[in-house]
Amino acid sequence: MSAKRPSPVLPNAMPWPIFEKLRDKRVVLASGSPRRKDILENVGFRPEIIPSTFAEDLPKGSFDKLSDYPIATAGEKVYILAGFSELTSGDGGLRAPDSRERCGPRRHPDTVVIFPPEKDTAEGGKYHGEHSEILEKPINKEEQLRALDLMAGRECEVVTAVCVGESFYPHSQLTSVYPTVESPGFKLQSISVSTIVHFFDYPKNVIQAYIDNGEGIDRAGGFAIQGLGGLLIEKIDGSYDNCVG
């Protein structure tokens, strides 16, 4: 007889209705980010962690707005997990799901840094005529230097999308999950949060000192707001946790 799955709701959780609904469900976080894990545990929630294997290679030019890119990416990650992460047979192979077995929500957040913010490059914006771009995780120190130099004295937009999928049939195949999908046995919904980050007009020697410290090379935009990167930031408009997670 298999052991009962531990509840994702921790004893220190606030008595909110959403936690009561999730108390006896299996909830999977499709992200290996330790920062997202910490944010959830701080509010009393500990989902099972199964990082998605989606390659994050959607063509950015296919989106009318760059802020739609993380929504689509997060949705694809949930789709991959919903189809292939569940239920093994005794020999370790996948088994057919019981049609009566309800699989709890799978959540996947995805975060991008957009520079300049799209509202500023739109008609009437203060940087109208420039083109917004997504600043990825830098692949080397030269890319990190470019990103931080671009943002000195200016602003970027941090956008996090969260997709929540719930299914009765864990191995059902879907053709698309963007922006919202509802099909027999599966439902996916998406939300996104935006934070504007204002940077000090720091000189290049400050940027180089930060890069030489080694922080930020694994973060979108090349900075970590919760670390030494916070010294580069003058203020934010919006959620701090959005920038951390």
Side-chain angles (χ1 to χ4, degrees):
M1 182 176 179
S2 60
K4 182 180 179 182
R5 190 185 308 278
S7 172
V9 180
L10 301 177
N12 63 314
M14 296 289 285
W16 293 334
I18 183 61
F19 286 156
E20 293 306 312
K21 290 181 179 180
L22 296 176
R23 187 173 298 278
D24 297 321
K25 289 185 178 291
R26 182 187 187 191
V27 181
V28 175
L29 176 65
S31 169
S33 167
R35 294 169 291 280
R36 289 176 176 137
K37 176 178 177 289
D38 290 344
I39 289 171
L40 290 172
E41 289 189 353
N42 283 340
V43 297
F45 196 66
R46 183 182 291 159
E48 183 178 348
I49 295 176
I50 305 178
S52 175
T53 58
F54 181 64
E56 302 188 38
D57 55 0
L58 296 175
K60 300 179 183 65
S62 64
F63 298 98
D64 292 333
K65 297 191 301 180
L66 292 177
S67 55
D68 288 338
Y69 171 79
I71 298 175
T73 299
E76 292 288 351
K77 290 180 177 181
V78 171
Y79 162 57
I80 293 293
L81 186 64
F84 300 101
S85 70
E86 285 273 338
L87 305 175
T88 59
S89 62
D91 60 2
L94 292 174
R95 69 171 173 83
D98 186 329
S99 62
R100 297 167 298 175
E101 185 167 8
R102 185 181 185 90
C103 296
R106 297 146 169 103
R107 301 175 62 256
H108 192 280
D110 203 77
T111 301
V112 298
V113 171
I114 300 173
F115 174 84
E118 289 185 289
K119 67 179 181 63
D120 291 336
T121 57
E123 186 173 354
K126 59 182 176 180
Y127 300 127
H128 179 56
E130 294 188 29
H131 295 284
S132 297
E133 63 175 299
I134 291 178
L135 299 179
E136 308 273 9
K137 295 177 183 178
I139 61 173
N140 52 44
K141 290 185 176 182
E142 288 72 26
E143 275 200 6
Q144 187 179 13
L145 175 62
R146 173 185 177 271
L148 294 175
D149 190 39
L150 281 173
M151 295 186 290
R154 296 182 61 173
E155 307 84 36
C156 73
E157 181 180 11
V158 179
V159 179
T160 297
V162 177
C163 288
V164 180
E166 186 170 18
S167 68
F168 287 95
Y169 307 104
H171 304 301
S172 61
Q173 297 294 307
L174 304 177
T175 57
S176 173
V177 295
Y178 173 75
T180 300
V181 161
E182 185 167 3
S183 64
F186 189 89
K187 183 175 182 179
L188 182 141
Q189 293 181 315
S190 305
I191 60 171
S192 64
V193 177
S194 172
T195 302
I196 302 297
V197 179
H198 302 257
F199 290 87
F200 287 114
D201 192 8
Y202 38 75
K204 281 196 174 181
N205 66 310
V206 172
I207 301 176
Q208 193 61 56
Y210 178 69
I211 292 172
D212 291 343
N213 178 268
E215 187 180 271
I217 193 69
D218 61 339
R219 315 292 170 88
F223 68 95
I225 192 173
Q226 72 273 30
L228 291 174
L231 299 174
L232 306 176
I233 295 168
E234 181 179 8
K235 65 177 182 176
I236 65 171
D237 300 326
S239 168
Y240 172 82
D241 284 340
N242 177 41
C243 301
V244 174

